[in-house]
Amino acid sequence: MLRGRIGTGFSPEPHRYQLYVAADDCPSCLGLTAAFAGLGLRDTVALTVLPPGSDPAGHEGLRRAYEAAGHDHDGALTVPALCDGWSGRVVSNHAPGILEDLRRLSAHPAFHRAP
């Protein structure tokens, strides 16, 4: 399991992060998708929803992010996954940590749209 955190090696910058979730019955993905919708991050964090029944390994961007995180990675490509667009690697695939990071980003001034 990858458990990096925004604020610890990953700075809170708009348009830096991408969240991958599955559009199936994955409870963690469903919860994160609902939280994402309510946190107002749609304009500053990319969201990729993998089609129902798809294999996360088949998604090129997600596969490359896991490969880039290889030194800490055990081989399985799982979602949810929060990825860093600057380094190209997975920050975390630990749903509770991702949720906390999304909450922190939503409270960060840089992630609020100008009126």
Side-chain angles (χ1 to χ4, degrees):
M1 182 156 299
L2 300 169
R3 292 189 180 196
R5 298 300 303 270
I6 296 174
T8 308
F10 297 96
S11 62
E13 299 289 335
H15 311 289
R16 179 175 179 170
Y17 298 98
Q18 181 162 5
L19 177 62
Y20 287 89
V21 295
D24 56 16
D25 294 333
C26 168
S28 296
C29 291
L30 292 172
L32 283 172
T33 302
F36 182 85
L39 290 172
L41 294 171
R42 188 168 55 139
D43 294 331
T44 55
V45 176
L47 176 66
T48 299
V49 180
L50 303 178
S54 68
D55 179 7
H59 195 281
E60 182 68 21
L62 184 59
R63 185 181 53 75
R64 279 185 275 133
Y66 270 101
E67 288 172 356
H71 65 283
D72 293 325
H73 181 58
D74 66 0
L77 275 65
T78 61
V79 289
L82 182 63
C83 299
D84 173 24
W86 291 3
S87 69
R89 67 187 187 101
V90 175
V91 174
S92 178
N93 60 3
H94 181 246
I98 293 171
L99 179 58
E100 181 60 30
D101 282 344
L102 293 176
R103 287 181 177 146
R104 285 184 187 165
L105 291 178
S106 73
H108 193 282
F111 285 79
H112 295 275
R113 290 179 18 183

